[in-house]
Amino acid sequence: MNKVLFFAHLRDAVGEEFLTVNASGKTVAELKAELSAKYNLPKMETIMTAINEEFASHDEVIRDGDEIAFIPPVSGG
Amino acid sequence: MNERYSRQVLFPGIGKEGQAKISSKHVLIIGAGALGSGSAEVLTRAGVGKLTIVDRDYVEASNLQRQQLYTEEDVAEKLPKAAAAEKRLKAINSDVKIISIIGDATPELLEDLVVGVDVMLDATDNFETRMAMNDVSQKYKIPWIYGACVGSYGMSFSMIPGKTPCLNCLLRTIPLQGMTCDTGGIISPTVQMVIAHQTAEALKMLVEDWESVRTSFVSFDLWRNQYTSMKMSKAKFPGCLSCGDERTYPFLDHENMTKTTVLCGRDTVQIRPSIKGELSLDRLAGQLNSLGYTVKGNPYLLSVEMGKERMVIFQDGRALIHGTKDLTHAKSIYQRILG
Ligand SMILES: [Zn+2]
């Protein structure tokens, strides 16, 4: 299983700080698409992903036990 | 070394030598809103040699809650932020050479201003300018420090050309509907936390303590009590058009910029975003409604009353700003809402 953490407006949209899902074998892009559809999340292409606190690209494959965090870049300043 | 900087000189990371370096360096700050006014004050007090600050807006009442350089008088006089900032910064430290530029930070202006600059600080409110800063940073080999915040959520990342990944490696494209302070609100402590990260990094770079520069991407939520630090050692993208071998600096190209035109015979400016995509008009309407704006719409467009002006936003991101002929002002209104 995998713990998936959400930040900023994603957390509001999902309604939880984290979810536990089985994402093993999926790519980051696949997991994004799945969550985006399930929770009606805004576009996730430019949301950064960390796997075990390390930057991960869209095609990186998630392994069992990996912790995933979705970090939306914001533009306010 | 005078008494003024004695406490900073006592700090082992800086010392006499570091202070001498700080006072010989030039920092360029793009934006004089919340982040820009805070960072400019920190660096002016720290005794940087020369500080250039760029901004296209004037001071408004809604700025005073967090933009620390400005006063009610500045609002009453509708002073440009860059001019109000210069006045206050000169009063804080007359040793520092302060240069203020009232204008839009276009790629052309950035390329002009960057000559002789040691560090660039990001204090803008939109990704188009950040991507241009990123390309300028790579082209002229000048480090820059990304910082941004919305609500209680903030982030920062230091980029050194040739050493770290760049912003284009991380995002690959400009986020179309970035969260901004005008759509998501903002509390002052979030601003201060981002400023603390950006200016600490700037001081490390100014004293040339490159070993101490943070290599991770920091993000935090002060209300939800979260703090994350993402390692970036694998983030460099070999095919990156900004920092890769076949770089083209795409964001310095006029083709990839937001286009503004005054519509002939009308008090209206048209804005065309550089990136193609579909906005979520429902979500935007909800955000604007909750901020108290009067929003009307249909599935194709939203019409938003914004004081003197009215903005009509279409699903493809194009917008008409009615009630102004000022291109820079219109672009500022647009990017305040859409990032
Ligand atoms: Zn890059």
Side-chain angles (χ1 to χ4, degrees):
Chain A
M1 296 303 276
N2 301 91
K3 189 173 178 182
V4 184
L5 299 145
F6 298 94
F7 297 93
H9 60 276
L10 284 181
R11 177 176 153 159
D12 299 332
V14 174
E16 307 275 353
E17 189 177 337
F18 67 90
L19 295 173
T20 307
V21 301
N22 184 6
S24 171
K26 287 174 192 152
T27 65
V28 166
E30 284 164 351
L31 178 62
K32 278 185 175 177
E34 200 179 296
L35 293 171
S36 182
K38 189 167 176 194
Y39 293 93
N40 190 26
L41 300 176
K43 288 226 171 87
M44 289 188 71
E45 285 115 56
T46 53
I47 287 171
M48 291 181 291
T49 310
I51 298 181
N52 304 323
E53 298 183 346
E54 186 144 353
F55 181 89
S57 64
H58 282 175
D59 49 17
E60 192 150 329
V61 178
I62 297 161
R63 291 160 310 172
D64 188 40
D66 282 348
E67 185 179 278
I68 296 123
F70 289 121
I71 300 174
V74 290
S75 66
Chain B
M1 196 58 56
N2 61 32
E3 177 68 16
R4 173 165 200 145
Y5 305 111
S6 58
R7 302 304 185 271
Q8 185 166 291
V9 167
L10 267 180
F11 175 71
I14 292 183
K16 270 189 179 166
E17 214 176 293
Q19 189 62 42
K21 283 182 177 154
I22 291 171
S23 69
S24 71
K25 297 285 168 79
H26 183 184
V27 177
L28 173 61
I29 301 182
I30 304 300
L35 294 177
S37 47
S39 290
E41 179 164 346
V42 169
L43 295 173
T44 296
R45 288 188 189 279
V48 68
K50 193 165 157 187
L51 187 146
T52 303
I53 189 158
V54 183
D55 197 282
R56 64 188 173 190
D57 286 325
Y58 57 88
V59 184
E60 294 173 273
S62 65
N63 303 147
L64 296 181
Q65 161 254 8
R66 66 194 183 285
Q67 301 187 13
Q68 67 191 63
L69 293 176
Y70 310 128
T71 63
E72 292 177 358
E73 208 174 297
D74 299 331
V75 175
E77 290 177 30
K78 283 198 165 49
L79 275 188
K81 287 183 180 176
E86 180 183 329
K87 183 182 66 167
R88 173 71 182 146
L89 294 168
K90 280 181 167 165
I92 288 171
N93 191 346
S94 56
D95 293 347
V96 180
K97 185 164 169 49
I98 308 284
I99 298 158
S100 66
I101 312 275
I102 303 163
D104 199 14
T106 59
E108 293 79 15
L109 183 63
L110 290 172
E111 288 195 74
D112 280 350
L113 292 179
V114 84
V115 177
V117 162
D118 296 287
V119 177
M120 277 191 291
L121 282 192
D122 164 28
T124 69
D125 60 0
N126 67 86
F127 276 110
E128 185 172 298
T129 308
R130 288 192 177 97
M131 288 302 218
M133 287 178 76
N134 186 62
D135 275 355
V136 166
S137 152
Q138 292 297 330
K139 188 171 171 184
Y140 296 91
K141 302 194 170 22
I142 292 160
W144 77 290
I145 305 162
Y146 164 61
C149 48
V150 163
S152 55
Y153 180 65
M155 49 188 38
S156 180
F157 181 53
S158 306
M159 285 164 274
I160 304 171
K163 197 169 164 194
T164 67
C166 81
L167 193 65
N168 198 9
C169 292
L170 311 188
L171 302 180
R172 311 272 176 99
T173 177
I174 297 181
L176 181 61
Q177 204 167 355
M179 292 286 284
T180 73
C181 300
D182 284 52
T183 52
I186 180 78
I187 54 170
S188 188
T190 317
V191 172
Q192 295 299 331
M193 183 88 161
V194 175
I195 291 167
H197 280 93
Q198 286 185 289
T199 52
E201 290 298 292
L203 288 173
K204 293 172 192 176
M205 292 178 183
L206 294 176
V207 303
E208 298 163 29
D209 184 0
W210 302 102
E211 293 295 296
S212 298
V213 171
R214 180 190 290 279
T215 53
S216 60
F217 188 110
V218 165
S219 60
F220 57 84
D221 190 324
L222 290 174
W223 210 266
R224 271 84 176 251
N225 310 311
Q226 293 166 320
Y227 191 92
T228 62
S229 178
M230 173 165 59
K231 290 189 207 82
M232 300 304 274
S233 45
K234 292 193 301 184
K236 195 161 164 59
F237 173 52
C240 179
L241 292 178
S242 296
C243 75
D245 287 341
E246 289 172 41
R247 52 180 78 189
T248 58
Y249 307 122
F251 299 98
L252 300 182
D253 184 345
H254 189 71
E255 279 306 302
N256 293 323
M257 288 168 58
T258 297
K259 305 288 194 310
T260 50
T261 34
V262 179
L263 295 186
C264 209
R266 294 166 66 186
D267 202 15
T268 297
V269 175
Q270 175 176 259
I271 306 212
R272 285 184 174 281
S274 55
I275 13 142
K276 296 190 176 43
E278 284 206 352
L279 293 180
S280 165
L281 291 179
D282 280 353
R283 188 160 72 91
L284 188 60
Q287 286 166 353
L288 292 167
N289 258 321
S290 63
L291 284 160
Y293 289 112
T294 308
V295 185
K296 282 184 232 157
N298 56 43
Y300 313 102
L301 60 85
L302 287 184
S303 171
V304 195
E305 301 293 337
M306 316 184 68
K308 277 200 338 296
E309 289 93 13
R310 184 167 62 92
M311 173 156 69
V312 175
I313 311 166
F314 297 87
Q315 199 167 31
D316 62 358
R318 191 170 60 86
L320 297 174
I321 319 282
H322 301 290
T324 183
K325 286 194 184 100
D326 182 339
L327 297 178
T328 302
H329 179 59
K331 190 167 155 194
S332 161
I333 291 178
Y334 179 85
Q335 290 184 329
R336 247 189 256 169
I337 297 296
L338 287 157

